[in-house]
Amino acid sequence: MLKRIQYNAAKTYANQIARGEDYPKLNQVIAITITDFILFDGFDHCVSRHEHRETLTGQTYLQEILYYFIELPKFKKSLEEVESLLDQWIWFIRYAGSLEIVPEKMSWPPIRHAFEKAMAANMTAEELEFYDNAGIAIADKRGAIEQALEDGWIKGRKEERANILLQMLRRRFPDLSAQVEAQVQAANLETLQVWTDRVLDGGSLSEVLGGNTVGEVTG
């Protein structure tokens, strides 16, 4: 097994490039192996890191391939003793199969998401269909809310831009008609931007609005 792990990591590292001149493009590979049995008998800690070191100085010069192992049987902490995020993940991985709900202490969003995926993996076809339909309904409602927020944001931007443009137009053309004001208020954001860009250079209201005025200034 250890030979297979090292082979896969080395193959992953080497397969990043096709030609020798591309060596600088190689990225570090971190191989993470989780076992439900004890793999190393020489120590009791459940998480171990393995790397290449110079034998006399202990210095690490070859860091391109690193190996992490998590041996679940060595993890002895109870739920009350779990503190770090790493401990939470290891506890979850070890006991997820027997959980019906995520403990309050482990309500971190990624773990809740992983729990949902684990539950879905064990569902019957009928349960999975119901779960998917519920997810679609939730996504639809979330999409409707996001669309409503976006529409409100666009409407607010449009109203703000229209008001600014009207202020600029009133300074240049004091007798602005009610019809033109209504036309500005009804325009979309893109059109408002075009008209705003023309305010300073346009010699007449028709030039500013591109000849699309429904009412003209008087006097």
Side-chain angles (χ1 to χ4, degrees), residues 57-75:
T57 64
Q59 296 293 319
T60 57
Y61 299 101
L62 305 178
Q63 291 278 303
E64 288 300 290
I65 301 180
L66 302 178
Y67 303 88
Y68 283 84
F69 290 86
I70 301 176
E71 301 170 86
L72 295 179
K74 291 183 178 181
F75 187 78

Side-chain angles (χ1 to χ4, degrees), residues 157-166 184-185 192:
R157 283 287 309 277
K158 188 176 82 69
E159 291 177 352
E160 179 184 7
R161 182 63 58 83
N163 290 333
I164 293 174
L165 176 57
L166 285 172
V184 171
Q185 294 287 1
L192 290 172

Side-chain angles (χ1 to χ4, degrees), residues 9 125 200:
L200 297 179

Side-chain angles (χ1 to χ4, degrees), residues 25-129:
K25 295 182 180 180
L26 288 169
N27 295 309
Q28 184 186 52
V29 170
I30 299 177
I32 301 175
T33 302
I34 302 174
T35 67
D36 60 355
F37 56 89
I38 293 178
L39 187 59
F40 304 110
D41 293 321
F43 51 83
D44 295 328
H45 47 278
C46 69
V47 179
S48 59
R49 168 176 165 158
H50 304 255
E51 61 188 17
H52 298 289
R53 291 180 177 270
E54 200 281 321
T55 56
L56 296 181
T57 64
Q59 296 293 319
T60 57
Y61 299 101
L62 305 178
Q63 291 278 303
E64 288 300 290
I65 301 180
L66 302 178
Y67 303 88
Y68 283 84
F69 290 86
I70 301 176
E71 301 170 86
L72 295 179
K74 291 183 178 181
F75 187 78
K76 304 296 185 181
K77 291 185 178 181
S78 65
L79 179 59
E80 291 71 24
E81 296 173 312
V82 169
E83 294 296 339
S84 69
L85 291 179
L86 178 59
D87 283 349
Q88 289 187 43
W89 273 117
I90 297 174
W91 192 96
F92 171 78
I93 292 171
R94 183 170 185 186
Y95 298 107
S98 60
L99 293 177
E100 294 185 359
I101 61 172
V102 177
E104 182 65 27
K105 186 175 183 178
M106 300 176 62
S107 58
W108 191 43
I111 290 183
R112 290 203 306 270
H113 180 70
F115 177 73
E116 292 173 2
K117 293 298 183 182
M119 292 291 290
N122 293 321
M123 289 180 180
T124 64
E126 292 79 9
E127 291 171 336
L128 186 58
E129 182 179 2

